[in-house]
C-alpha cells in the first residue's frame, strides 16, 4: 500500500477524526453496564444538539445509513399508506424502493439529476399523504434540496428527511424546520467510520407508528426501551459498543469545535474547491444556489485528459500516486461526472490544495 494515509475525498466515508480512531482502543464493556448506558445517554444527548432537536427518541440505529432509511419508513408506513417521495438521485430512488416494500402507495415527484426538487411540487402531489419524504443532501449529484418550506406547508403529513450527508456539514434544524423523522450516517460529515445511523423521531411521528412494523430489528417501539429508556433498560440487541465510543468521540469533536464552526469549515472548503475547479475550466454539475460544499460534482473535463487516458484512469492515478480518493458518477451520469467530498476531518483547506495540485499535474 503506497499511501497508508489516504485522503478520502470520495462521496463517503470522509477521514475520521484522530480522536475517533483513539476511541476504538477503549476497553469493551457490557452493553448493559451502567458506564456504557451513561455513555449511550451522553451520545444521544450530543446527537440532539447536532440534530438541533429536543426529541426524546434520538439515538443511533446499529447499522449504516440505509438501515436508518429503512427504519424510519417501516415504522410509519404500512400497506396502502400514501407517501410522496422526492427523487433527484440515487437516494430518492432508494426511498421509493424501501417505501414500496412497506406496501405503501408511493407517489414520486421527480426532478432532473443535478437539479433541486421544488418544495411546492412535493406539497401539491397529494392532498393528504401520511408522509412526505425527501433527501436533504443528494450525494449522488451534489444537490441540496430545500427542506424548511416543506415543513411549513406539510399540514398533517409527517416530514421524513434523509440527512446522511447533511448532518454536521450544512445547517440542519430538525425542530425549527418541522422534520418528524430523520436519519443520518456516521461516515459522511461526522468524521466517524461507517456503521451507525443516527435517527431522531418527533412525538407526532411516534403517534403515527404503524401497529406492527414489517421488521423486528428496526421496530422503534421495541428498541426505544433499550436505547432511551432511562432506568429500566432491557436487552433488545447488543449495541456495537466500540462504534458508540467512536460516535460519542466524533460528536465530541464537532461540539467542541462548535457546530456552526464545523459547518463553516465545510463551506469554506467546498467554496475553495469549487472556485478552484471553475478557474481550471471545469463545469460544475449541481444547480447553482443548491450546491453542497461537502460534495462537489463536476463534469469530467474530457478535453484535458491525456491521450488514451480515461476518467477512471485519472481517479486510479490520484489514488495510487497521490493517495487521494475521489468518486465517479452514478446512474445516468456514470463516466460523466466526478464527485469530490470534503467531509468531516477531510474538510481541510490543505486537502483541497493537494487535490487541485494533483489535478494540475495529471491533466493536460
Ligand atoms: C451514503 C448515503 C446513504 C446510505 O448510507 P449507507 O451508510 O451507505 O447505508 C443514504 N443517503 C444518502 C444521501 C447517502 O449519502
Amino acid at each position: 500500500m503506497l499511501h497508508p494515509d489516504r485522503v478520502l475525498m470520495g462521496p463517503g466515508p470522509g477521514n475520521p477524526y484522530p480522536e475517533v480512531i483513539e476511541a476504538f482502543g477503549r476497553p469493551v464493556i457490557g452493553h448493559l453496564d451502567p458506564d456504557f448506558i451513561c455513555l449511550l445517554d451522553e451520545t444521544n444527548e450530543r446527537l440532539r444538539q447536532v440534530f438541533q432537536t429536543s426529541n426524546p427518541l434520538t439515538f443511533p440505529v446499529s447499522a449504516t445509513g440505509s438501515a436508518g432509511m429503512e427504519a424510519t419508513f417501516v415504522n410509519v408506513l404500512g400497506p396502502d399508506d400514501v407517501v410522496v417521495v422526492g427523487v433527484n438521485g440515487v437516494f430518492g430512488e432508494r426511498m421509493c424502493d424501501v417505501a414500496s416494500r412497506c406496501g405503501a402507495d408511493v407517489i414520486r415527484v421527480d426532478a432532473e439529476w443535478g437539479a433541486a426538487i421544488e418544495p411546492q411540487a412535493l406539497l401539491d402531489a397529494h392532498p393528504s399523504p401520511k408522509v412526505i419524504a425527501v433527501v436533504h443532501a443528494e450525494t449522488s449529484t451534489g444537490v441540496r434540496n430545500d427542506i424548511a418550506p416543506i415543513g411549513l406547508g406539510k399540514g398533517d403529513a409527517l416530514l421524513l428527511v434523509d440527512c446522511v450527508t447533511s448532518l454536521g456539514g450544512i445547517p440542519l434544524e430538525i425542530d425549527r424546520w418541522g422534520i418528524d423523522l430523520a436519519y443520518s450516517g456516521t461516515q459522511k460529515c461526522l468524521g466517524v467510520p461507517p456503521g451507525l445511523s443516527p435517527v431522531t423521531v418527533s412525538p407526532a411521528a411516534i403517534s403515527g407508528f404503524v401497529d406492527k412494523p414489517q421488521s423486528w430489528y428496526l421496530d422503534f417501539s421495541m428498541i426505544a426501551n433499550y436505547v432511551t429508556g432511562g432506568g429500566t433498560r432491557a436487552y433488545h440487541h447488543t449495541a456495537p459498543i466500540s462504534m458508540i465510543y467512536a460516535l460519542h468521540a466524533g460528536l465530541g469533536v464537532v461540539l467542541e469545535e462548535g457546530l456552526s464552526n464545523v459547518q463553516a469549515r465545510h463551506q469554506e472548503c467546498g467554496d475553495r474547491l469549487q472556485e478552484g475547479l471553475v478557474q481550471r475550466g471545469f463545469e460544475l454539475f449541481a444547480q447553482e444556489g443548491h450546491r453542497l460544499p461537502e460534495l462537489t460534482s463536476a463534469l469530467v473535463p474530457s478535453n484535458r485528459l491525456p491521450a488514451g487516458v480515461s476518467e477512471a484512469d485519472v481517479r486510479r492515478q490520484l489514488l495510487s500516486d497521490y493517495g487521494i480518493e475521489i468518486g465517479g458518477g452514478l446512474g445516468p451520469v456514470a463516466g460523466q461526472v466526478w464527485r469530490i467530498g470534503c467531509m468531516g476531518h477531510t474538510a481541510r483547506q490543505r486537502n483541497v490544495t493537494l487535490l487541485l495540485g494533483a489535478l494540475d499535474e495529471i491533466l493536460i
Side-chain angles (χ1 to χ4, degrees), residues 76-271:
V76 292
L77 287 176
D80 303 324
D81 285 333
V82 174
V83 56
V84 172
V85 182
V87 183
N88 58 345
V90 164
F91 296 103
E93 283 284 355
R94 188 173 296 183
M95 281 179 159
C96 292
D97 193 0
V98 169
S100 67
R101 287 169 192 238
C102 298
D105 180 3
V106 180
I107 298 174
R108 291 172 65 113
V109 174
D110 281 83
E112 262 188 53
W113 282 50
I117 294 170
E118 279 294 331
Q120 196 59 45
L122 287 169
L123 296 172
D124 291 344
H126 189 277
S128 57
K130 178 162 186 194
V131 174
I132 301 173
V134 68
V135 178
H136 187 201
E138 230 329 324
T139 322
S140 59
T141 61
V143 167
R144 178 184 52 76
N145 288 315
D146 286 331
I147 304 299
I150 310 168
L152 275 177
K154 70 180 179 176
D156 291 335
L158 298 171
L159 177 55
L160 193 168
V161 181
D162 177 319
C163 304
V164 176
T165 298
S166 61
L167 185 67
I170 54 174
L172 165 67
E173 301 191 49
I174 296 294
D175 290 357
R176 222 164 59 84
W177 293 358
I179 299 172
D180 294 291
L181 299 118
Y183 58 89
S184 189
T186 42
Q187 75 271 29
K188 306 278 168 75
C189 299
L190 293 179
V192 177
L196 292 174
S197 178
V199 298
T200 186
V201 184
S202 74
I206 293 175
S207 307
F209 278 176
V210 297
D211 276 345
K212 209 165 181 137
Q214 291 173 23
S215 167
W216 182 92
Y217 190 66
L218 300 174
D219 182 338
F220 283 156
S221 307
M222 288 166 62
I223 305 175
N225 170 262
Y226 172 51
V227 292
T228 61
T232 63
R233 304 309 234 275
Y235 168 75
H236 172 267
H237 67 280
T238 310
I241 309 290
S242 304
M243 268 309 295
I244 307 271
Y245 292 160
L247 176 58
H248 179 265
L251 294 168
V253 171
V254 169
L255 292 171
E256 197 174 327
E257 185 176 342
L259 182 57
S260 58
N261 293 332
V262 173
Q263 290 166 350
R265 176 161 57 78
H266 281 82
Q267 189 65 50
E268 280 163 28
C269 281
D271 285 349

Side-chain angles (χ1 to χ4, degrees), residues 54-65:
S54 58
N55 290 335
L57 189 54
T58 302
F59 70 97
V61 169
S62 303
T64 68

